[in-house]
């Protein structure tokens, strides 16, 4: 007999969890550099336009589908249309893969929390991370890295413990702890950063508008791409989270809160990161452009250098910064894991404990085996690049096209469902953005990225690595989604009847 579907304790509990999912590592180490590199203060214009015309409209779509059909992505999309199950499983498998390597990045950040005391990375921060810490060789290797093994075991044990707690006592409770903790840790770090000598140099570089960049289409693509990734849309998280909402929850109101809370945190991250970069630029006599970086380079190469120029106070700033990465990572990891857990529960009628044990167990086994070696940096880099730029974008694009192009007759029902319970009413503008603007931008971005990946080997990696862990991962999304969507599910007949009734309305 199926377990009764859980609910969030309140709308606030859902919003906290949704913000906790959206606010992840990318907000801290990706947004500041993307903004700086694409026009500084002027980037805020395409960023806000992208947020309003693509990010929030797609967030609303995820909420409506999850809430209306009260199921994880595969079953929710299948209730909308039979072919939709493929889209839902694609998104689910993207989350499954991301969870496997995301844990490794959390271990990196957690280790650096402790390395901050005494600044154990020394003068050559890049060599310390690459050679001493992750034992990177530049290729696939079976070199065992004990500190990664221990860290991964701890991270997965914590994640499994949280997921066993269920929605209210696990996911929601963890986010109610993590989100305030993240705001305190990062808020203190930002305050410390803006009081540093030279902080204004970095802030000027971050906010100074370069209006000429607005004519570059790549800047607009960067804005749409970042907003899309940042809000946790396109890979099943928000569909799944919305399915746990009470029946009369204000969907669009919650979506606006989540969207703008996420953007506010990104702006705060930009202020803190570039204030620290300005301090380093002044201390070393370099230009901000020589110091600024994004991604892993910012977090583990540049920021330790910044901390080392702060003297004894750097230990505290380092603890705050890397502690923020850990907390943001944990809150995002549990949201990512919830997608396959809920999906397999819905498909095979598994109990919560069985789904957590199998899904998290498999993820943990693969993650610990693959990322406890000297290959961890290569694997994270390649899998993350393909999962984000192909997997997430394609998953989001397919969900939009499914609804707005191939099943337009469903749109009035989706609008009616949202408008009946929401404060902000949706209409033609929302439909136009989802039908024209968002798919156009995502198709261009996906096409350009696909051409780029085919023409130029990503980061110069060998064809073996790119085929196995890049294109191989994309094939896994498609083949896995095809197989799972054709396996018989426990609720198939019930869902077919429900869809027939929905179509008749």
């Amino acid at each position: 007999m199926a377990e009764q579907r859980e609910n969030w304790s309140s709308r606030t509990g859902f919003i906290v969890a949704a913000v906790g999912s959206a606010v992840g590592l990318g907000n801290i180490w990706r947004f500041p550099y993307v903004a700086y590199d694409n026009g500084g203060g002027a980037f805020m214009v395409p960023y806000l336009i992208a947020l309003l015309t693509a990010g929030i409209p797609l967030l609303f779509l995820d909420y409506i589908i999850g809430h209306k059909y009260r199921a994880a992505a595969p079953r929710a999309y299948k209730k909308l249309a039979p072919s939709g199950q493929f889209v839902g499983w694609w998104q689910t498998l993207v989350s499954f893969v991301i969870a496997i390597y995301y844990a490794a990045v959390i271990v990196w950040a957690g280790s650096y929390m402790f390395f901050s005391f005494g600044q154990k990375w020394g003068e050559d921060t890049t060599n310390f991370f690459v050679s001493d810490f992750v034992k990177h060789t530049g290729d696939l290797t079976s070199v065992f890295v004990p500190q990664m093994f221990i860290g991964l075991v701890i991270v997965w044990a914590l994640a499994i413990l949280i997921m066993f707690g269920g929605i209210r006592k696990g996911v929601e409770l963890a986010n109610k702890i993590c989100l305030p903790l993240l705001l305190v840790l990062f808020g203190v770090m930002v305050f410390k950063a803006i009081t540093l000598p030279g902080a204004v140099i970095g802030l000027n570089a971050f906010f100074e508008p370069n209006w000429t960049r607005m004519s570059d289409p790549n800047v607009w693509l960067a804005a749409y791409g970042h907003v899309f990734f940042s809000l946790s849309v396109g890979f099943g998280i928000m569909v799944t989270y919305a399915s746990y909402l009470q029946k009369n929850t204000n969907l669009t109101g919650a979506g606006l809160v989540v969207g703008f809370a996420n953007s506010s945190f990104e702006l705060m991250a930009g202020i803190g990161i570039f204030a620290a970069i300005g301090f380093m630029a002044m201390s070393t006599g370099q230009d901000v452009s020589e110091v600024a970086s994004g991604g892993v380079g910012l977090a583990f190469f540049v920021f330790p250098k910044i901390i080392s120029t702060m003297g004894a106070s750097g230990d505290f700033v380092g603890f705050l910064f890397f502690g923020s990465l850990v907390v943001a990572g944990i809150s995002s990891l549990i949201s990512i894991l919830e997608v396959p857990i809920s999906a397999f529960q819905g498909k095979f009628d598994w109990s919560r404990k069985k789904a957590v044990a199998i899904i998290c167990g498999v993820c943990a086994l693969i993650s610990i085996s693959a990322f406890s070696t000297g290959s961890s940096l290569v694997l994270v880099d390649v899998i993350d690049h393909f999962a984000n730029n192909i997997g997430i974008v394609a998953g989001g694009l397919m969900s939009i096209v499914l609804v707005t192009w191939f099943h337009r007759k469903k749109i009035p029902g989706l609008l009616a469902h949202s408008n009946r319970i929401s404060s902000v009413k949706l209409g033609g503008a929302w439909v136009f953005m989802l039908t024209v603007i968002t798919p156009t931008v995502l198709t261009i971005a996906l096409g350009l990225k696909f051409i780029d990946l085919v023409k130029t080997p990503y980061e110069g990696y060998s064809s073996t690595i790119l085929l196995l862990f890049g294109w191989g991962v994309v094939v896994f999304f498609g083949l896995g989604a095809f197989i799972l969507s054709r396996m018989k599910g426990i609720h198939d007949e019930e869902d077919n009847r429900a869809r027939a009734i929905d179509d008749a309305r």
Side-chain angles (χ1 to χ4, degrees), residues 17 54 106 134-135 267 287 315 364 434 439 479 497:
I106 296 172
V134 299
K135 311 293 184 186
L267 184 60
D287 189 78
D315 293 14
L434 280 181
L479 186 60
R497 288 195 299 271

Side-chain angles (χ1 to χ4, degrees), residues 259-298:
F260 286 106
N262 177 69
S263 296
S264 298
F265 185 88
E266 289 191 318
L267 184 60
M268 182 173 75
I271 292 171
I273 296 300
F274 270 84
I277 286 174
F279 167 74
M280 182 178 176
M282 189 195 75
S283 302
T284 59
Q286 296 175 288
D287 189 78
V288 168
S289 61
E290 298 176 81
V291 181
S293 176
V296 172
L298 168 71

Side-chain angles (χ1 to χ4, degrees), residues 362-378:
V362 172
C363 280
L365 184 63
I366 298 172
S367 180
I368 293 169
S369 300
F371 296 97
S372 294
T373 70
S375 302
S376 65
L377 185 56
V378 173

Side-chain angles (χ1 to χ4, degrees), residues 225-238:
H226 181 79
V227 163
F228 191 69
F229 300 141
S230 178
L231 285 175
S232 291
V233 290
F235 53 117
I237 293 175
M238 293 307 174

Side-chain angles (χ1 to χ4, degrees), residues 449-468:
K449 177 53 66 175
F450 188 86
I451 292 169
D452 180 55
L453 288 171
V454 170
K455 287 175 62 177
T456 309
Y458 174 62
E459 293 293 327
Y461 288 117
S462 69
S463 56
T464 301
I465 291 174
L466 294 177
L467 283 172
L468 284 175

Side-chain angles (χ1 to χ4, degrees), residues 130-412:
V130 173
S131 301
D132 298 342
F133 177 52
V134 299
K135 311 293 184 186
H136 174 65
T137 61
D139 211 326
L140 299 180
T141 175
S142 59
V143 174
F144 179 63
V145 184
Q147 60 265 34
M148 286 299 298
F149 176 82
I150 295 169
L152 284 165
V153 169
I154 293 171
V155 167
W156 279 110
L158 177 60
I160 291 170
L161 181 66
I162 291 171
M163 302 317 289
F164 266 129
I167 295 303
R168 291 193 185 188
K169 295 181 180 178
V171 177
E172 184 178 331
L173 179 61
N175 277 287
K176 284 182 174 178
I177 295 171
C178 285
L179 190 59
L181 181 59
L182 172 62
L183 293 175
V184 170
L185 286 172
F186 204 72
V188 174
M189 197 284 292
V190 170
F191 177 78
K192 175 65 178 174
I194 61 176
T195 61
L196 293 169
V200 67
I201 298 173
L203 294 177
N204 285 339
F206 179 60
F207 284 111
E208 186 176 358
N210 181 359
W211 296 109
T212 60
R213 296 299 307 279
M214 294 304 95
S215 61
D216 184 352
N218 288 320
V219 170
W220 290 84
L221 284 174
Y224 276 89
H226 181 79
V227 163
F228 191 69
F229 300 141
S230 178
L231 285 175
S232 291
V233 290
F235 53 117
I237 293 175
M238 293 307 174
V239 174
T240 304
Y241 270 19
S243 73
Y244 296 122
L245 280 167
Q246 301 287 351
K247 288 189 175 181
N248 292 314
T249 302
N250 181 346
L251 297 178
T252 56
L256 290 173
V257 171
V258 171
F260 286 106
N262 177 69
S263 296
S264 298
F265 185 88
E266 289 191 318
L267 184 60
M268 182 173 75
I271 292 171
I273 296 300
F274 270 84
I277 286 174
F279 167 74
M280 182 178 176
M282 189 195 75
S283 302
T284 59
Q286 296 175 288
D287 189 78
V288 168
S289 61
E290 298 176 81
V291 181
S293 176
V296 172
L298 168 71
F300 301 106
F301 304 165
V302 175
F303 221 83
K305 282 185 179 179
I306 295 173
I307 292 165
S308 295
T309 61
M310 295 181 184
S313 65
D315 293 14
F316 178 59
V317 174
F319 176 82
L320 293 172
F321 176 73
F322 291 111
S324 298
L325 291 182
V326 171
V327 175
I330 291 292
S331 63
S332 293
L333 177 62
I334 59 179
S335 70
I336 294 166
L337 285 169
E338 186 59 36
V339 177
I341 288 170
S342 183
F344 278 88
Q345 274 188 280
K347 179 77 172 181
F348 301 112
D349 209 25
W350 290 351
S351 68
R352 173 81 187 186
K353 290 183 178 179
K354 180 178 180 180
V356 170
I358 293 176
I359 299 301
C360 291
V362 172
C363 280
L365 184 63
I366 298 172
S367 180
I368 293 169
S369 300
F371 296 97
S372 294
T373 70
S375 302
S376 65
L377 185 56
V378 173
L379 295 178
V380 168
D381 191 19
V382 174
I383 297 173
D384 175 72
H385 192 78
F386 280 79
N388 276 278
N389 289 283
I390 302 294
I392 294 179
V393 175
L397 180 59
M398 284 189 288
S399 69
I400 294 170
V401 169
L402 175 76
V403 176
T404 63
W405 291 11
F406 293 109
H407 295 281
R408 288 187 63 85
K409 63 182 181 181
K410 295 282 188 176
I411 294 176

